[in-house]
Amino acid sequence: MSSKQRYAFVNGKIFTSDAARPRAQAMLAENGIITWVGEERELPVGSAVRVDLEGKRVLPGFVDAHMHPALLAECSQQISCLPPKIYSIAELIGEIRRVRAVQGPGAWIRGWGYDEGKFTERRAPTRRDLDQGCGDAPVAILRTCAHIYCVNSRALELAHITRDTPDPPGGKIDRDEDGEPTGILRENARYLLQEVLPPPDTGTLLDQLADLGKLLLSQGVTAVTDMGFLDERDGYPIYRAAAERGFRQRVGIYYLWDYLSGDPDCWITPERLDKNQKIRVAGVKLIGDGSVSGRTAWMSRPYSGSGGDCGLPVCTPEEIDQAIRLCREKRCQLAVHAMGGQAIDRIVDRAYGEADWLGDGTPCLRIEHVTEPSERAIARAAERKFAFATQPIFPYCEIESYLANLGPERTRQIYPVRTLLERGVPVCFSTDAPATSWAVPSDPFPCIKSAVTRRAWDGTDFGRDQRVSVETALRLYTSQSAQIAGFKGIGQLKPGCSADFIVLDRDILAVPEEELDAVQVDRTYIAGELEFERSRL
């Protein structure tokens, strides 16, 4: 199908995500842009190629406002430490042995996604465990949160990490009772590996991104953000090259503060910030704290059984000031990772007195994850329209860790989405893929199910009073995600917007809530062009 023609999409149950006209039966698109939406009997007269939507439910394409596509693509070639492939440390050891036998001595063995809450041993692996899998080559396994590495003795040796190595600011090297490193490197301590990890091959990554783009199309995801590479690569030319190889999604790129401070003038330019581009730079991301599941989020109250441990801040107040100043000068968005209450309060209070430096309807500040926001933070965010980008999939799939780290009662109070919406805080949904304990982490439908049911994968109630309707969840995954991430002309099916939409195999607004994660995408269109059709798989 060519977007150079005029198309009439008819006989559909269209949810537009546009408050002015939330429902429709048909729409017209010309040169990839929607020109009319309404009831089929009112379809304007004129020549157009008619496309039958077969009475099926139609939605705007999903906009994943917080994920890491490049990291997710690279992980596809590493050991997956998640069910249904690996359920225990013992099985992880066996998989490391298998990889070692295939690739021989010396080469790095990489893995991702381990979650101690899902291992049968109910603990994190250590260097001693990984040494059993391989002792003559370095092993590095990234935790599901992407904030913690577990490495073997050879990797510690290459990184020159010993009992005498001090904890870096904003990081922690776990040590055993004798003071020796256990192999667990938390938060900024994981950067000690950067100089010894082998650099990724750009050509391989481009192929991996092209393959990932096809998966995302099958899931109905038509736009993404990349919330920061975990190394010093510039994502902008990489995604432009990936688009030439077939990566069809629109992309908003955020640069991690840790790697940007060297030469921001080179990476953040007016040309790259142009929101009319398919691939564009969106802003800067600053890491304020860690993860709840890894006990590094900077909470307002101690973790269960921790003896008073509330986690830790990862960045300094000076870095927050510098990041705000840079974003103001460059007129780009600041995204701050803040899960715990202390981390959230710190950034909200610091930014509260700043004038909106964007002024175009895009929030100048977005806060990522936002597990336990205080009443003060909620009120101030609502007043200043600071956005909260949260991930319902976290408690859904990581419930074991949340219960262990916070306890049942506190777990039912986390991610208060309904309260945030009632108070007027801008909110959007996303997956943070691959930084979550789910086998297919980019799939939007388990995320939607979690928000609507507020029950984890095992049925655990994590705050049913904070449920939202399916329609609300869809808006937070389409129009709200697009607005908060600064995308223009997507996320809604209305005149002037790109004809980016999906056709579902069943009506997501009518299925029982327990079946929401079973919904699949039949067709995906970008700019009016059919990019994916399940029947052709």
Side-chain angles (χ1 to χ4, degrees):
M1 180 182 295
S2 170
S3 61
K4 300 300 183 182
Q5 299 185 47
R6 190 168 184 252
Y7 289 94
F9 297 97
V10 299
N11 187 26
K13 297 178 181 178
I14 303 174
F15 174 78
T16 66
S17 205
D18 174 16
R21 181 189 280 273
R23 299 286 201 284
Q25 292 177 329
M27 56 187 173
L28 285 174
E30 189 168 354
N31 295 329
I33 303 298
I34 297 171
T35 58
W36 176 89
V37 176
E39 298 303 302
E40 191 165 337
R41 65 179 181 275
E42 301 169 354
L43 188 68
V45 176
S47 61
V49 177
R50 294 175 72 90
V51 179
D52 187 1
L53 299 173
E54 301 173 343
K56 294 186 175 182
R57 175 60 64 189
V58 175
L59 309 175
F62 291 120
V63 178
D64 196 319
H66 184 125
M67 69 180 303
H68 301 265
L71 178 60
L72 179 59
E74 289 172 333
C75 286
S76 67
Q77 302 300 311
Q78 300 176 9
I79 296 172
S80 172
C81 304
L82 289 168
K85 187 169 185 179
I86 290 176
Y87 291 87
S88 67
I89 293 173
E91 290 179 340
L92 174 59
I93 292 170
E95 186 64 10
I96 292 171
R97 287 174 179 159
R98 184 193 67 78
V99 173
R100 164 61 183 80
V102 171
Q103 68 181 32
W108 279 81
I109 297 173
R110 304 285 295 273
W112 70 280
Y114 86 82
D115 181 349
E116 60 271 21
K118 294 194 181 302
F119 284 154
T120 56
E121 295 89 349
R122 291 295 187 267
R123 65 173 178 84
T126 68
R127 63 188 289 190
R128 306 302 181 193
D129 296 314
L130 304 189
D131 287 348
Q132 292 181 51
C134 177
D136 61 354
V139 179
I141 309 294
L142 186 65
R143 194 182 181 279
T144 177
C145 61
H147 285 243
I148 298 171
Y149 263 113
C150 177
V151 301
N152 72 344
S153 297
R154 180 58 180 151
L156 290 174
E157 179 184 349
L158 290 173
H160 304 293
I161 299 173
T162 70
R163 63 181 298 129
D164 298 320
T165 304
D167 290 341
K172 180 184 178 184
I173 302 169
D174 281 15
R175 306 171 196 271
D176 61 23
E177 61 275 9
D178 297 322
E180 294 291 339
T182 66
I184 301 292
L185 307 175
R186 300 181 186 272
E187 301 304 329
N188 288 350
R190 71 189 188 278
Y191 295 139
L192 298 174
L193 292 178
Q194 292 304 319
E195 292 187 5
V196 296
L197 283 172
D201 177 72
T202 299
T204 300
L205 174 59
L206 295 180
D207 291 337
Q208 293 167 343
L209 278 171
D211 288 341
L212 175 63
K214 296 174 184 177
L215 172 65
L216 295 175
L217 288 173
S218 76
Q219 297 168 335
V221 179
T222 56
V224 299
T225 63
D226 192 305
M227 297 305 296
F229 282 43
L230 300 184
D231 52 47
E232 296 179 346
R233 288 173 294 174
D234 180 357
Y236 183 75
I238 289 175
Y239 276 104
R240 287 176 64 89
E244 294 178 359
R245 295 202 187 187
F247 190 84
R248 295 287 291 126
Q249 284 73 16
R250 300 171 192 269
V251 184
I253 297 164
Y254 292 79
Y255 291 119
L256 277 181
W257 175 259
D258 302 279
Y259 300 115
L260 181 67
S261 54
D263 192 8
D265 292 336
C266 180
W267 286 6
I268 305 179
T269 65
E271 295 77 19
R272 290 186 173 197
L273 290 168
D274 183 356
K275 292 181 179 178
N276 293 309
Q277 296 184 96
K278 177 183 174 182
I279 310 296
R280 64 182 176 87
V281 170
V284 174
K285 182 185 175 187
L286 184 64
I287 306 296
D289 68 346
S291 70
V292 173
S293 59
R295 289 191 172 226
T296 53
W298 194 24
M299 311 297 280
S300 297
R301 292 181 285 162
Y303 291 101
S304 299
S306 68
D309 179 24
C310 292
L312 72 159
V314 172
C315 65
T316 65
E318 291 75 22
E319 287 176 308
I320 294 176
D321 290 343
Q322 292 166 7
I324 290 175
R325 184 162 55 249
L326 175 65
C327 289
R328 188 196 308 117
E329 292 172 356
K330 298 294 184 182
R331 296 184 62 80
C332 66
Q333 191 180 56
L334 176 61
V336 179
H337 171 117
M339 297 195 80
Q342 292 193 72
I344 299 166
D345 283 344
R346 182 172 64 159
I347 182 58
V348 169
D349 289 345
R350 172 58 188 85
Y352 180 74
E354 295 284 336
D356 179 3
W357 59 81
L358 293 182
D360 64 354
T362 303
C364 61
L365 173 67
R366 50 178 287 185
I367 305 175
E368 313 304 305
H369 314 309
V370 198
T371 308
E372 282 191 318
S374 67
E375 287 292 331
R376 175 187 176 89
I378 292 172
R380 289 194 154 196
E383 179 186 347
R384 293 300 319 282
K385 297 305 177 186
F386 298 151
F388 288 178
T390 193
Q391 295 75 33
I393 192 66
F394 283 178
Y396 182 82
C397 68
E398 299 175 22
I399 189 62
E400 302 91 345
S401 295
Y402 277 84
L403 291 174
N405 295 342
L406 303 181
E409 180 179 354
R410 194 173 171 189
T411 295
R412 287 191 288 271
Q413 300 169 6
I414 58 176
Y415 305 109
V417 173
R418 186 169 183 174
T419 296
L420 296 175
L421 294 173
E422 291 172 349
R423 301 284 180 84
V425 178
V427 178
C428 70
F429 286 162
S430 54
T431 61
D432 199 14
T436 188
S437 302
W438 202 241
V440 188
S442 57
D443 187 352
F445 295 103
C447 199
I448 292 168
K449 179 180 179 179
S450 175
V452 172
T453 65
R454 294 286 294 202
R455 292 191 186 278
W457 70 270
D458 62 357
T460 300
D461 174 359
F462 61 90
R464 296 272 288 172
D465 60 316
Q466 293 297 324
R467 289 176 293 169
V468 298
S469 68
V470 176
E471 288 191 19
T472 297
L474 294 176
R475 285 196 297 272
L476 299 189
Y477 224 130
T478 54
S479 57
Q480 276 295 99
S481 287
Q483 191 270 330
I484 286 172
F487 287 106
K488 288 183 61 177
I490 65 170
Q492 299 180 73
L493 302 178
K494 67 178 185 179
C497 286
S498 180
D500 298 0
F501 64 94
I502 60 178
V503 183
L504 305 182
D505 69 338
R506 68 200 80 180
D507 189 351
I508 194 171
L509 295 176
V511 300
E513 63 178 27
E514 61 270 16
E515 297 178 13
L516 287 168
D517 58 337
V519 176
Q520 291 188 309
V521 175
D522 272 353
R523 285 180 269 167
T524 299
Y525 294 82
I526 294 180
E529 295 189 40
L530 180 62
E531 297 288 348
F532 166 80
E533 188 170 15
R534 187 165 299 278
S535 63
R536 294 182 182 177
L537 289 180

